[in-house]
Amino acid sequence: MQDMEHNQYSQETIDHFMNPRNVGKIENPDGVGIAGDPECGDYIEITISVKDYFIKDIKFMVHGCVGAISTSSMTTELAKGKPLMAAYAISNEDVINALGGLPSEKEHCSLLGPIALKKAIVDYINKNKSILEK
């Protein structure tokens, strides 16, 4: 990890990169969200399980750099157990702050997790419109 050797990353970021949380895919998910940045090749898929409008479980699969992996992991940690709308409100700034900052050239990586999370929540809502309208 050449970019980790320069101490550009916080300990929290390195920890989430070396030990990412919630990796994988939920079988039969309630919602799926995909985000990618063709410029740097980073790609993320988030799957969620919802119960009583709370994110009961969340998993991610990512292809990307240190920033993409650590921010994806942190996004899932911030969202897990939250009401849907609170999870929907998670921003890339929330993720960056929770990680203790990112090098400026890696801040774009923090967008992927929240974008995929929002898409997964929208997917859940679209699949359950008739239930939610009651």
Side-chain angles (χ1 to χ4, degrees):
M1 268 334 104
Q2 182 181 11
D3 51 21
M4 283 179 45
E5 292 173 358
H6 300 294
N7 295 323
Q8 296 182 56
Y9 295 100
S10 70
Q11 282 304 117
E12 190 73 20
T13 300
I14 293 169
D15 183 44
H16 275 270
F17 171 70
M18 300 297 289
N19 306 292
R21 283 66 154 179
N22 308 305
V23 174
K25 281 187 176 185
I26 295 173
E27 269 190 54
N28 303 310
D30 295 316
V32 178
I34 297 171
D37 184 345
E39 284 185 30
C40 66
D42 294 344
Y43 174 88
I44 180 175
E45 178 177 337
I46 286 183
T47 52
I48 58 173
S49 174
V50 178
K51 182 164 172 88
D52 299 325
Y53 309 107
F54 280 77
I55 294 183
K56 179 178 135 188
D57 197 10
I58 183 169
K59 302 276 186 205
F60 78 96
M61 299 291 290
V62 68
H63 177 270
C65 63
V66 174
I69 294 167
S70 59
T71 58
S72 298
S73 174
M74 181 56 79
T75 298
T76 63
E77 285 290 283
L78 292 173
K80 196 171 195 174
K82 295 263 189 329
L84 286 174
M85 290 303 101
Y88 190 88
I90 293 170
S91 70
N92 62 313
E93 291 88 7
D94 295 330
V95 175
I96 290 170
N97 290 337
L99 287 172
L102 282 176
S104 59
E105 68 273 8
K106 294 294 182 179
E107 287 183 1
H108 69 280
C109 299
S110 67
L111 298 170
L112 294 177
I115 289 170
L117 174 60
K118 285 172 178 49
K119 287 182 175 182
I121 292 168
V122 168
D123 183 47
Y124 167 77
I125 291 168
N126 286 336
K127 289 177 181 174
N128 293 280
K129 276 185 179 175
S130 60
I131 297 168
L132 298 172
E133 289 172 353
K134 292 180 182 177

